[in-house]
Amino acid sequence: MNATSQTHPACLPTDSGPVAPTNPLLTFLEQLQETALKTLGPKNFDPKLYVDLSLKSNLSTVQDAFNRLPRAENGTVSFTDLNFFMQSYLNGAEDDLVYTEPVDFSPAPEGFLPTVENPEVREWALEVHWLWKSLCRRVAGGVLDSPEKHTLIALPQPVMIPGSRFREVYYWDSHWVVRGLFASKMYETAKGIVSNLVHLLDEFGFVLNGARTYYSNRSQPPLLSSMVHDIYIRTGDMDLAKESLPALVKEHDFWNSGVHRVVVRDAQGHNHTLSRYYAMWNEPRPESSTIDKETASKLMNDSEKQHLYRELASAAETGWDFSSRWMRDASDLTTLATTSIIPVDLNTFILKMELDIAFLANVIGDSTTAAHFIQAAQARKRAMNAIFWNEEMGQWLDYWLSDRTTCKEDGYTWEASNQNRNVFASNFIPLWIELFNSDGTLVEKVMQSFQSSGLLQAAGIATSLTDTGQQCILIKKQGHMFVTLLGNLPVSHMPAMQTGFGWSNGVVLAFLEEFGWPQDLKIDC
């Protein structure tokens, strides 16, 4: 049976698990968001804008002024009144961060992309490199002085934002930003990014999806250890290794305890511990509150809606928001079942984390911690092969839990039919890890499977073989890379295209650094 078509008649879609606390500011900004939608209508409406605003006065004063706004019988506020209120009581969404010059930016860094030989491509790469200047910010003083008036979380170091409507640091975006900064020889900026993520980990117990209070209910793919490891390899910064290691161990605990931890008994009766995505939230996501409520309006009762809201937030935690990979029905977002899936890529990232922690512990002379995490990595490799590996397909497949999370407490028993046999790019991610890619026979088998999978396209690698229209990246003929993320936004809600996001700029530079570009290969090949 295809995993995405399974039903669970014995288990109703009830919500389960922890819920992170919210705060009065967010509650008010969501009210403002709903009022603005009623006033402005859905065309070109971006709900995130309203929860990114900050207050000019204390919350009670702003709330009182909002409550006094004249309202029609249907509760709407006129555009003139709403606009006057916002100008009088709220700061703009761009005001929390101010432009700052990266400390280590050079217009033409020494040793920049030495294997990029085509002059046109090199010129384009330098243009991408220059975008770091436009994306670098520092936290404005007002955020530090009055944090209760802001949803932005203050960070100690300058930040690289994605751009466009994304005006804050994002977790796994930062991994690709750091990779690009390496190509630009901007190691101090890269270290600052890591310091900011470690700061979030120390404050919240995990690295948030993004540096906003409304993201404090979920994380994102855990790639901090890879950033620390790679910076150490490039710079030999022993202090960074020492300062980061306790935080990385804390992050490992986060992903291997509580609701993230899942035990599966394999066909031979051996128990394996793996990890899943599971947001600490069961309400509409504040940054998409009006959209999530619209999505949930198809459901009949509050229990089903709470369950959907947790699944939406959990899908956002995956970084694949949104994808048919997490849906029982690829055409219906209300069938998201992210918490019922043990993902190949998440466990690959955590295996990499275990190896990175062991490496860094060895670097600083902590052999006990190093040995512990080597054992943890070997155990996870065995678990991934037992639960995910499909010999017939030559791929590692996501595993769908046979019952919803509230129906089992003592683990799950592995069944072959619960492997999701649909093809996703994530099915091949374990080859990123030396524990897997050092096996030549395995690599050959998996590469043959990949080459015949249908994912390899003329313009790159598809994430899946299902065309859902959920996300897209566009490369246009005029030489600019435009990025638009649809997520579950209706077309009328789409933000304007961004000329390069921080993460996409980083990917381009990292690819050019690793693979180069020969003299005779044109840029529009």
Side-chain angles (χ1 to χ4, degrees):
M1 181 188 295
N2 188 314
T4 54
S5 64
Q6 292 181 42
T7 57
H8 305 273
C11 299
L12 293 175
T14 54
D15 178 63
S16 176
V19 178
T22 186
N23 61 65
L25 174 60
L26 270 176
T27 301
F28 163 68
L29 292 176
E30 286 185 74
Q31 294 173 345
L32 175 65
Q33 181 191 92
E34 290 214 13
T35 300
L37 176 59
K38 292 175 182 176
T39 298
L40 303 174
K43 187 176 181 180
N44 298 321
F45 180 80
D46 180 8
K48 184 179 183 299
L49 169 69
Y50 298 91
V51 292
D52 288 356
L53 302 174
S54 60
L55 308 184
K56 292 182 178 180
S57 304
N58 63 63
L59 178 59
S60 60
T61 299
V62 177
Q63 182 84 63
D64 287 345
F66 178 74
N67 292 338
R68 292 196 303 270
L69 286 173
R71 285 172 168 81
E73 289 186 6
N74 62 0
T76 60
V77 175
S78 73
F79 173 80
T80 301
D81 288 339
L82 181 63
N83 190 51
F84 180 78
F85 165 79
M86 292 179 62
Q87 289 183 351
S88 301
Y89 291 95
L90 297 163
N91 297 304
E94 305 283 351
D95 294 345
D96 282 349
L97 290 168
V98 295
Y99 170 81
T100 188
E101 180 89 12
V103 295
D104 49 359
F105 179 84
S106 170
E110 183 178 353
F112 180 69
L113 303 181
T115 58
V116 174
E117 300 170 354
N118 183 298
E120 187 180 5
V121 176
R122 189 169 188 80
E123 182 182 352
W124 176 60
L126 277 171
E127 290 178 8
V128 174
H129 163 75
W130 268 81
L131 290 175
W132 297 133
K133 285 171 65 72
S134 66
L135 296 174
C136 192
R137 302 285 190 278
R138 60 175 173 80
V139 173
V143 181
L144 300 169
D145 296 336
S146 303
E148 74 282 358
K149 297 179 182 178
H150 304 261
T151 60
L152 187 74
I153 297 169
L155 296 172
Q157 300 294 327
V159 302
M160 284 290 177
I161 61 172
S164 186
R165 65 196 288 264
F166 300 105
R167 311 169 186 91
E168 54 282 313
V169 166
Y170 284 82
Y171 182 7
W172 87 315
D173 289 41
S174 295
H175 176 261
W176 310 111
V177 169
V178 164
R179 290 294 305 275
L181 290 171
F182 289 163
S184 293
K185 312 301 180 185
M186 295 172 64
Y187 301 120
E188 290 305 312
T189 298
K191 290 177 188 178
I193 288 173
V194 164
S195 295
N196 285 332
L197 298 180
V198 168
H199 177 84
L200 290 173
L201 218 165
D202 287 340
E203 183 174 350
F204 293 93
F206 61 97
V207 184
L208 275 57
N209 181 151
R212 292 275 180 185
T213 55
Y214 54 74
Y215 288 136
S216 62
N217 52 60
R218 63 183 189 259
S219 187
Q220 265 196 327
L223 289 163
L224 177 58
S225 71
S226 287
M227 299 181 223
V228 177
H229 172 274
D230 292 350
I231 292 173
Y232 177 81
I233 293 298
R234 299 259 182 164
T235 69
D237 190 329
M238 184 70 75
D239 290 339
L240 182 73
K242 288 180 180 178
E243 292 164 5
S244 302
L245 189 60
L248 296 178
V249 172
K250 182 186 293 186
E251 182 174 40
H252 186 268
D253 289 344
F254 170 78
W255 286 107
N256 289 279
S257 61
V259 291
H260 294 104
R261 180 177 181 269
V262 183
V263 176
V264 182
R265 188 174 300 108
D266 69 17
Q268 285 72 45
H270 301 128
N271 282 349
H272 298 281
T273 300
L274 291 162
S275 304
R276 63 175 166 180
Y277 293 107
Y278 203 113
M280 297 169 284
W281 198 243
N282 63 356
E283 298 177 31
R285 295 166 298 150
E287 76 280 10
S288 302
S289 180
T290 53
I291 298 173
D292 285 359
K293 288 178 181 178
E294 182 181 343
T295 302
S297 65
K298 304 174 186 177
L299 302 178
M300 298 301 295
N301 59 58
D302 290 342
S303 175
E304 290 179 333
K305 290 179 179 181
Q306 284 187 330
H307 182 83
L308 174 61
Y309 293 145
R310 190 180 295 276
E311 298 297 342
L312 285 163
S314 299
E317 187 170 56
T318 73
W320 287 51
D321 46 329
F322 294 96
S323 168
S324 60
R325 182 182 172 199
W326 314 116
M327 302 177 198
R328 300 184 188 280
D329 178 349
S331 64
D332 185 355
L333 197 61
T334 66
T335 67
L336 278 170
T338 319
T339 62
S340 294
I341 299 168
I342 310 179
V344 171
D345 49 356
L346 173 60
N347 285 278
T348 302
F349 297 145
I350 297 174
L351 174 55
K352 177 67 161 56
M353 183 195 305
E354 289 159 350
L355 294 172
D356 290 338
I357 291 174
F359 171 84
L360 293 166
N362 268 325
V363 162
I364 67 173
D366 184 350
S367 58
T368 302
T369 297
H372 172 77
F373 279 93
I374 286 293
Q375 291 177 354
Q378 291 169 341
R380 192 172 301 270
K381 179 189 177 185
R382 290 192 296 271
M384 291 174 65
N385 282 334
I387 306 305
F388 297 146
W389 177 249
N390 186 290
E391 181 69 22
E392 177 191 351
M393 292 179 65
Q395 301 173 24
W396 293 269
L397 307 179
D398 291 341
Y399 187 79
W400 283 61
L401 302 176
S402 56
D403 291 319
R404 294 192 187 276
T405 55
T406 53
C407 300
K408 293 267 187 179
E409 294 182 357
D410 58 348
Y412 300 82
T413 301
W414 187 87
E415 298 178 20
S417 61
N418 285 357
Q419 286 187 330
N420 186 346
R421 295 175 67 91
N422 289 331
V423 178
F424 302 101
S426 51
N427 295 3
F428 303 92
I429 282 183
L431 282 191
W432 181 42
I433 306 297
E434 187 177 359
L435 282 182
F436 292 105
N437 65 39
S438 58
D439 182 339
T441 303
L442 176 68
V443 170
E444 183 177 355
K445 183 178 183 67
V446 175
M447 289 306 298
Q448 288 176 351
S449 176
F450 173 67
Q451 288 166 355
S452 61
S453 67
L455 294 175
L456 190 59
Q457 301 290 321
I461 298 170
T463 55
S464 76
L465 301 181
T466 305
D467 183 8
T468 61
Q470 287 291 345
Q471 296 198 16
C472 63
I473 298 175
L474 304 178
I475 309 294
K476 295 204 171 181
K477 192 70 174 179
Q478 58 264 43
H480 294 294
M481 176 170 57
F482 290 91
V483 181
T484 178
L485 300 181
L486 291 172
N488 67 333
L489 292 173
V491 173
S492 61
H493 291 68
M494 280 178 57
M497 286 189 184
Q498 161 79 10
T499 308
F501 274 135
W503 67 265
S504 60
N505 300 337
V507 168
V508 165
L509 293 174
F511 277 9
L512 289 173
E513 182 184 49
E514 183 161 352
F515 301 111
W517 197 289
Q519 175 80 25
D520 57 352
L521 185 63
K522 293 183 179 180
I523 197 169
D524 60 348
C525 63

